Amino acid sequence: MCNTGDQQTTAAVHVKEPAATIVEMLKDVTLYEGEDAVFECRLSRETTQDAQWFLGDVPLQSNEMNEIKVQGTRHTLILRKVTLEDCGPISFKVGQHTTGA
């Protein structure tokens, strides 16, 4: 703001967060029924952008069967005690970027 006594003008600063990209893609996992499946990917930067895990087309949330963790740029999904019904595509999406396994 600039104030000269009888006149005043103001301006604002707007800062946009650069988009994060996926720099370490998901890898396929093969294991036995009852084991935990662990999927990890890494982003180019820490971000406040919405990131989402999917099993098929179903968005996943952290609960007793799925653990979702974020440590800096590393995003991890753990599917606990998988069954044959858990077979299928896993994907991770952030902004316009997606990786799958």
Side-chain angles (χ1 to χ4, degrees):
M1 180 169 71
C2 178
N3 189 341
T4 62
D6 58 343
Q7 292 183 329
Q8 177 178 313
T9 184
T10 61
V13 174
H14 299 277
V15 179
K16 294 182 179 180
E17 177 183 30
T21 59
I22 300 169
V23 295
E24 186 179 309
M25 302 295 186
L26 293 177
K27 295 180 177 81
D28 293 344
V29 173
T30 302
L31 46 97
Y32 290 101
E33 194 170 21
E35 294 181 330
D36 293 348
V38 179
F39 297 91
E40 289 187 332
C41 65
R42 191 168 54 85
L43 303 182
S44 59
R45 60 188 319 265
E46 291 184 31
T47 181
T48 59
Q49 286 177 279
D50 289 334
Q52 181 67 58
W53 289 94
F54 295 88
L55 175 56
D57 293 332
V58 178
L60 299 175
Q61 303 293 328
S62 251
N63 57 36
E64 65 278 350
M65 296 304 293
N66 312 314
E67 182 180 351
I68 296 172
K69 298 190 296 187
V70 178
Q71 295 174 312
T73 61
R74 182 158 307 281
H75 291 250
T76 306
L77 168 67
I78 302 170
L79 301 178
R80 301 272 182 218
K81 297 185 169 113
V82 295
T83 65
L84 293 175
E85 290 78 29
D86 294 319
C87 287
I90 294 288
S91 59
F92 175 84
K93 181 176 181 182
V94 61
Q96 301 295 319
H97 305 282
T98 303
T99 181

